Amino acid sequence: ETGVTQSPTHLIKTRGQQVTLRCSSQSGHNTVSWYQQALGQGPQFIFQYYREEENGRGNFPPRFSGLQFPNYSSELNVNALELDDSALYLCASSHGITNTGELFFGEGSRLTVL
Amino acid sequence: AQKVTQAQTEISVVEKEDVTLDCVYETRDTTYYLFWYKQPPSGELVFLIRRNSFDEQNEISGRYSWNFQKSTSSFNFTITASQVVDSAVYFCALTEAAGNKLTFGGGTRVLVKP
């Protein structure tokens, strides 16, 4: 186990609704990254948070937003859900942004949009 | 823009056979890092290996080995004497010098039969 926990593990929403996904990073890690993995594809980088500030964003619209809290846990919010938002959402934690090391991933939150 | 291509979508082998996974990447950066991750059915991505762009030395770690060739932008990964527990989806990934913002390939599903 990586020590990264995500909730909920599964959820079903309908088009137009909003969803919040949560992630607790591994102890000692101050950086959280979120990835979207559609079925049968590789993960795609959504954004990264470092010390409560967004530190880089992938090619995702503004309706994808996030937060990082003082304890370094994080939330991913998606507004106005679309069918194509159905995917596994993975959270990864690491320490710092000036080095490049191993990312520790959670088991993901599987979102189904009907 | 960075891009990672894994041409093999699925490989099926019998236990104890060797498995080689291909990965080709594109980047304009002169400093970058390459990774291999394993994704078992549980969903979390498990770090396997990392290599930076200045180190083309190929190594062996247990049953894993890799072949990094900068001249052909390839970073191939081999599992020696495969086991049933190696069955998973394997992802090759690339990131710039710092920051852990990974670009993943589409993945290769490995099925090891007893």
Side-chain angles (χ1 to χ4, degrees), chain A residues 1 7 11 14 21 40 47 51 59 61 72 79-80 85 93 95 106:
Chain A
E1 291 189 5
S7 63
L11 69 167
T14 56
L21 308 178
F47 43 54
R51 292 186 175 179
N59 189 26
Y72 302 131
N79 293 322
D85 295 333
S93 77
H95 185 73

Side-chain angles (χ1 to χ4, degrees), chain A residues 38-92:
Chain A
L39 194 62
Q41 297 182 23
Q44 290 194 354
F45 174 73
I46 304 175
F47 43 54
Q48 181 184 84
Y49 278 84
Y50 170 65
R51 292 186 175 179
E52 303 178 58
E53 297 286 334
E54 185 178 293
N55 179 56
R57 187 180 183 92
N59 189 26
F60 281 82
R63 58 190 187 84
F64 284 78
S65 63
L67 282 173
Q68 187 178 32
F69 300 99
N71 66 355
Y72 302 131
S73 65
S74 177
E75 285 183 356
L76 164 65
N77 298 291
V78 187
N79 293 322
L81 284 167
E82 301 177 359
L83 297 179
D84 285 349
D85 295 333
S86 295
L88 179 67
Y89 289 84
L90 293 163
C91 166

Side-chain angles (χ1 to χ4, degrees), chain B residues 55-68:
Chain B
D55 185 358
E56 291 190 69
Q57 181 178 356
N58 297 312
E59 293 186 15
I60 297 173
S61 176
R63 294 189 299 111
Y64 299 151
S65 62
W66 50 96
N67 185 352
F68 175 32

Side-chain angles (χ1 to χ4, degrees), chain B residues 18-73:
Chain B
D18 296 348
V19 181
T20 294
L21 308 180
D22 298 334
C23 173
V24 175
Y25 63 91
E26 297 175 27
T27 181
R28 295 180 182 173
D29 296 321
T30 55
T31 303
Y32 52 88
Y33 290 80
L34 294 161
F35 299 78
W36 277 96
Y37 278 85
K38 173 183 178 180
Q39 187 175 41
S42 57
E44 85 276 18
L45 287 160
V46 178
F47 168 84
L48 297 176
I49 57 174
R50 179 188 70 167
R51 179 60 68 196
N52 72 54
S53 55
F54 294 106
D55 185 358
E56 291 190 69
Q57 181 178 356
N58 297 312
E59 293 186 15
I60 297 173
S61 176
R63 294 189 299 111
Y64 299 151
S65 62
W66 50 96
N67 185 352
F68 175 32
Q69 294 195 350
K70 213 168 176 179
S71 60
T72 57
S73 298

Side-chain angles (χ1 to χ4, degrees), chain B residues 71-111:
Chain B
S71 60
T72 57
S73 298
S74 66
F75 185 52
N76 297 337
F77 176 69
T78 297
I79 305 171
T80 302
S82 61
Q83 301 174 1
V84 173
V85 293
D86 295 326
S87 296
V89 181
Y90 290 80
F91 290 97
C92 180
L94 166 71
T95 187
E96 58 188 11
N100 289 325
K101 299 161 191 169
L102 300 179
T103 298
F104 285 87
T108 299
R109 180 175 299 278
V110 174
L111 177 60

